[in-house]
């Protein structure tokens, strides 16, 4: 499914989100705070739009995705063989989020935008992300969530159920893929539940903040330093603090 929509994926996302995808991407990049000399994993990177934003800092960015079609499209656009020579500090890797092809403690930061809900075992993916992050490194997850306002949540569901399918049929090459999008958003847990999953995976300093009135939530966490690893279980019992 993702292979089929890869060429028009970014354009369709911009239309369906009414341009908010750029705001969400910018907020994620600020939360990751990439710096030159760092090594960053952008998992579920799709065609690499989020990875490019991170690579502009000078950090060494690995864009990983399960879909070979997405990886091929990203490489065509931004690889070293693309027009203009591509982005040299950005590489593309086909990868399974639950069995990452990287060693332990490889990355200074790991991030995942709008991909965790597409993983069959999201809790396992969170543990894999912890494994490949160095002690003290950061996790940033940007994902669709559940608006806390009942009134706004109702409007949001109306848009997803009635408006989104009509628009998707107009702008997408595979409208059925966006029926899946709607279903996956509807069935995804709320902010506190995802925060609990992150904590249970072994991350600490777990926090989240809502974007666009809770349509999207930006989750952040830290891998415990080696000396703090023994305290991770105790910390996991504390509630997430929105910020």
């Amino acid at each position: 499914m993702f292979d089929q929509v890869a060429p028009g994926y970014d354009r369709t996302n911009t239309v369906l989100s009414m341009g908010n995808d750029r705001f969400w991407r910018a907020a994620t990049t600020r939360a990751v705070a990439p710096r030159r000399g760092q090594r960053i994993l952008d998992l579920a990177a799709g065609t690499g739009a989020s990875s490019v934003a991170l690579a502009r800092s000078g950090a060494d960015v690995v864009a990983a995705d399960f879909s070979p079609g997405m990886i091929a499209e990203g490489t065509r656009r931004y690889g070293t063989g693309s027009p203009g020579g591509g982005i040299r500090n950005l590489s593309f890797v086909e990868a399974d989020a639950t069995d990452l092809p990287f060693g332990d403690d490889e990355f200074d930061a790991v991030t995942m935008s709008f991909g965790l809900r597409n993983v069959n075992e999201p809790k396992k993916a969170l543990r894999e992300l912890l494994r490949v992050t160095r002690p003290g490194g950061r996790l940033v997850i940007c994902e669709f969530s559940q608006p806390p306002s009942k009134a706004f949540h109702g409007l949001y569901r109306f848009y997803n159920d009635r408006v989104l399918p009509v628009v998707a049929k107009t702008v997408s090459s595979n409208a059925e893929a966006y029926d899946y999008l709607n279903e996956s958003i509807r069935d995804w847990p709320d902010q506190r539940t995802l925060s609990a999953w992150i904590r249970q995976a072994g991350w600490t300093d777990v926090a989240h903040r809502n974007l666009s009135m809770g349509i999207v939530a930006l989750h952040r966490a830290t891998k415990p330093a080696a000396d703090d690893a023994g305290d991770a279980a105790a910390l996991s019992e504390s509630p997430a603090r929105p910020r």
Side-chain angles (χ1 to χ4, degrees):
M1 179 183 69
F2 285 103
D3 291 347
Q4 293 173 6
V5 301
Y9 182 72
D10 296 322
R11 181 196 66 230
T12 302
N13 286 347
T14 297
V15 172
L16 294 179
S17 70
M18 295 181 287
N20 278 287
D21 61 320
R22 294 168 181 168
F23 162 66
W24 299 332
R25 189 179 306 125
T28 302
T29 301
R30 287 195 299 271
V32 175
R35 299 192 304 275
R36 187 176 299 277
Q38 290 184 331
R39 183 167 166 80
I40 297 174
L41 172 63
D42 186 13
L43 186 57
T47 63
S50 55
S51 309
V52 170
L54 296 167
R56 288 185 182 131
S57 68
D60 179 14
V61 179
V62 177
D65 200 281
F66 189 65
S67 163
M70 289 288 185
I71 292 296
E73 182 66 19
T75 302
R76 184 187 68 80
R77 294 182 189 182
Y78 308 116
T80 53
S82 63
I87 302 173
R88 298 189 180 281
N89 57 318
L90 173 62
S91 58
F92 287 85
V93 176
E94 188 177 334
D96 180 346
T98 62
D99 187 18
L100 293 173
F102 308 111
D104 296 351
D105 305 337
E106 271 200 40
F107 296 95
D108 297 287
V110 294
T111 183
M112 196 173 188
S113 295
F114 307 108
L116 187 61
R117 75 184 190 287
N118 297 322
V119 178
N120 286 336
E121 298 179 88
K123 294 179 182 179
K124 187 175 180 180
L126 290 169
R127 293 194 297 271
E128 269 292 271
L129 285 169
L130 182 77
R131 180 184 67 79
V132 302
T133 305
R134 67 166 179 79
R138 304 179 310 285
L139 168 74
V140 177
I141 291 179
C142 186
E143 186 55 90
F144 287 112
S145 198
Q146 304 296 333
S149 165
K150 291 184 178 180
F152 183 71
H153 191 276
L155 290 173
Y156 178 53
R157 288 300 338 147
F158 176 82
Y159 173 79
N160 277 3
D161 292 341
R162 302 295 181 85
V163 179
L164 186 147
V166 175
V167 178
K169 288 179 182 177
T170 303
V171 300
S172 173
S173 60
N174 185 346
E176 291 182 1
Y178 290 89
D179 289 337
Y180 161 77
L181 170 69
N182 183 21
E183 293 170 3
S184 68
I185 294 172
R186 182 187 61 222
D187 297 338
W188 188 245
D190 63 14
Q191 294 88 323
R192 290 188 178 276
T193 300
L194 179 52
S195 293
W197 289 1
I198 295 170
R199 198 176 302 107
Q200 290 163 8
W203 297 90
T204 59
D205 300 323
V206 179
H208 76 268
R209 70 183 180 95
N210 290 330
L211 304 176
S212 302
M213 299 181 69
I215 290 175
V216 165
L218 193 63
H219 293 260
R220 289 170 290 175
T222 303
K223 180 172 180 175
D227 292 343
D228 299 332
D231 298 329
L235 288 170
S236 70
E237 299 302 321
S238 62
R241 56 184 189 283
R243 67 183 184 193

